[in-house]
Amino acid sequence: MAKPESMKLNSSKLPQKIYPSNDPSEFNPLSYSLEKFRLYETRARFYLIGSDRNKQFFRVLKIDRMEPSDLNISEDPVVYPPEEIKSLLQRIAEGNRATGGLNFVAKVYGIAGCIKFLESHYLVLVTKRRQIGCVCGHAIYSIDESQIIAIPHVSVQTDVAHSKTELRYKKLLSSVDLTKDFFYSYTYPIMRSLQKNVLSTGEDGMPYDNLFVWNSYLTHTIRSRCKNTMWTIALIHGHFKQVFDYFSITFFDNREILEGWWCTVQNSADNGLLLYLLCLNTKLLSETRLSIFGKDFSVSLVSRRSRHFAGTR
């Protein structure tokens, strides 16, 4: 298949959400993503400490626990280095010693949602992740464990928070198994086709308004309050399967397989070939490494389930 000039893959046009440089002088607060988090609690607040993957820079999200039904969150605008974030946590612990101090709650890998039923708001947190692949150098993850945490402190919760209806709604939310058929990336907009990412002008943040972002509504409150997408993860409903077998090039002679798929080929970082097949008809994202004349390339089959329409698209 001939490739139009306008579709040639230009790495400079790929999303510029990158990891911080090891050189602090090159640090740009808008050029990194938060990938690792630690959740702490006092009687009055939750403190979510987020860092880049190398734990060079830290941000702080404060969540008030003294309101039984209202959600009050604030993002500290300061970007902290490791030594300063330790000092900050020590000061918080000292200041709350009389009411129980500062306690570690969980190690977190992103907020999958924030939801309210009758009274309390709940955080849906990813507590274990697993890397299942890589697209254009960006890691793709699945969820191994998630946790639902009520935000209001138990001392301010009313009887409504423990009513049968509230507990039933919470149970329904818990029945959604995020460990199956969901995947996400911190730095690559996997919810969009490769063509759109190639032609992208490098917008900041993930495009949560995309119809393939399953938890767009669940994360809207936090994203709108913080005015960014650093604290949440954009979940795609689908399946990621990676195979490392080597196949013959005759695999691609089957036109029935390729029919309706958009393909583009580019030189990869190791001078191999990278072939993307974007399929819109199955609930599958699979990646296979192949070799032609001694050069490796990857085949990625990407499809996603729409949150606007029922069934597989």
Side-chain angles (χ1 to χ4, degrees):
M1 177 182 292
K3 179 175 61 176
E5 290 295 324
S6 62
M7 283 299 176
K8 286 185 178 179
L9 196 56
N10 184 345
S11 60
S12 65
K13 288 187 177 182
L14 289 176
Q16 299 301 308
K17 204 76 161 180
I18 59 174
Y19 304 114
S21 166
N22 291 327
D23 184 359
S25 63
E26 297 180 5
F27 171 64
N28 179 354
L30 299 178
S31 67
Y32 68 99
S33 62
L34 299 180
E35 296 192 15
K36 299 178 180 179
F37 306 83
R38 293 178 69 87
L39 182 65
Y40 297 87
E41 68 173 353
T42 64
R43 178 185 175 88
R45 283 179 175 174
F46 277 121
Y47 293 88
L48 187 62
I49 313 299
S51 70
D52 64 282
R53 69 168 179 175
N54 297 321
K55 295 186 176 180
Q56 296 180 11
F57 307 102
F58 295 80
R59 299 291 301 270
V60 179
L61 186 68
K62 305 172 185 177
I63 307 173
D64 181 48
R65 304 184 68 196
M66 291 291 99
E67 289 289 340
S69 60
D70 293 333
L71 180 64
N72 294 323
I73 62 176
S74 60
E75 183 184 39
D76 190 334
V78 178
V79 179
Y80 294 92
E83 59 276 6
E84 289 188 14
I85 199 66
K86 292 180 181 178
S87 176
L88 175 65
L89 292 174
Q90 290 174 356
R91 295 197 301 270
I92 295 174
E94 288 293 328
N96 290 273
R97 181 179 295 179
T99 57
L102 180 70
N103 301 305
F104 174 74
V105 178
K107 189 175 182 180
V108 179
Y109 293 98
I111 301 175
C114 180
I115 191 170
K116 175 184 176 181
F117 297 123
L118 300 182
E119 182 179 87
S120 301
H121 280 84
Y122 300 90
L123 287 176
V124 183
L125 305 174
V126 175
T127 53
K128 281 189 180 181
R129 69 179 183 184
R130 175 167 45 94
Q131 184 172 344
I132 54 176
C134 188
V135 175
C136 291
H138 299 263
I140 308 297
Y141 296 93
S142 67
I143 299 173
D144 277 349
E145 285 186 14
S146 62
Q147 186 175 351
I148 299 175
I149 296 179
I151 293 178
H153 191 270
V154 65
S155 63
V156 300
Q157 293 178 3
T158 68
D159 292 340
V160 176
H162 305 283
S163 65
K164 289 183 179 180
T165 304
E166 180 82 2
L167 295 177
R168 181 166 63 88
Y169 289 152
K170 185 178 177 181
K171 185 177 180 180
L172 288 173
L173 178 63
S174 301
S175 67
V176 179
D177 190 356
L178 297 181
T179 65
K180 294 181 180 179
D181 301 331
F182 288 95
F183 57 92
Y184 68 95
S185 174
Y186 296 101
T187 55
Y188 185 79
I190 195 71
M191 70 289 295
R192 295 194 305 203
S193 65
L194 182 63
Q195 318 78 309
K196 288 188 183 252
N197 287 334
V198 169
L199 300 176
S200 169
T201 57
E203 302 91 341
D204 289 330
M206 289 289 175
Y208 276 81
D209 57 344
N210 187 284
L211 77 164
F212 297 116
V213 179
W214 178 83
N215 60 336
S216 176
Y217 176 77
L218 290 175
T219 58
H220 175 74
T221 302
I222 294 178
R223 291 186 288 110
S224 62
R225 302 286 179 88
C226 297
K227 294 181 173 56
N228 61 54
T229 62
M230 290 194 301
W231 301 96
T232 58
I233 56 174
L235 293 180
I236 311 302
H237 191 200
H239 181 67
F240 191 108
K241 181 180 180 182
Q242 195 168 43
V243 182
F244 294 98
D245 294 334
Y246 288 83
F247 297 94
S248 167
I249 189 61
T250 56
F251 170 81
F252 299 105
D253 292 339
N254 189 338
R255 293 189 177 183
E256 292 180 359
I257 294 177
L258 293 177
E259 185 176 0
W261 292 356
W262 180 88
C263 310
T264 186
V265 180
Q266 69 153 43
N267 287 328
S268 66
D270 59 355
N271 295 321
L273 291 175
L274 189 63
L275 173 61
Y276 282 93
L277 303 178
L278 300 184
C279 170
L280 301 178
N281 299 315
T282 58
K283 189 189 67 174
L284 173 68
L285 193 162
S286 65
E287 188 168 336
T288 306
R289 184 171 295 279
L290 300 98
S291 178
I292 300 179
F293 303 118
K295 291 189 175 183
D296 293 344
F297 64 94
S298 297
V299 174
S300 297
L301 307 180
V302 184
S303 65
R304 302 137 300 191
R305 187 179 294 275
S306 170
R307 62 184 168 88
H308 291 171
F309 307 101
T312 303
R313 298 289 165 178

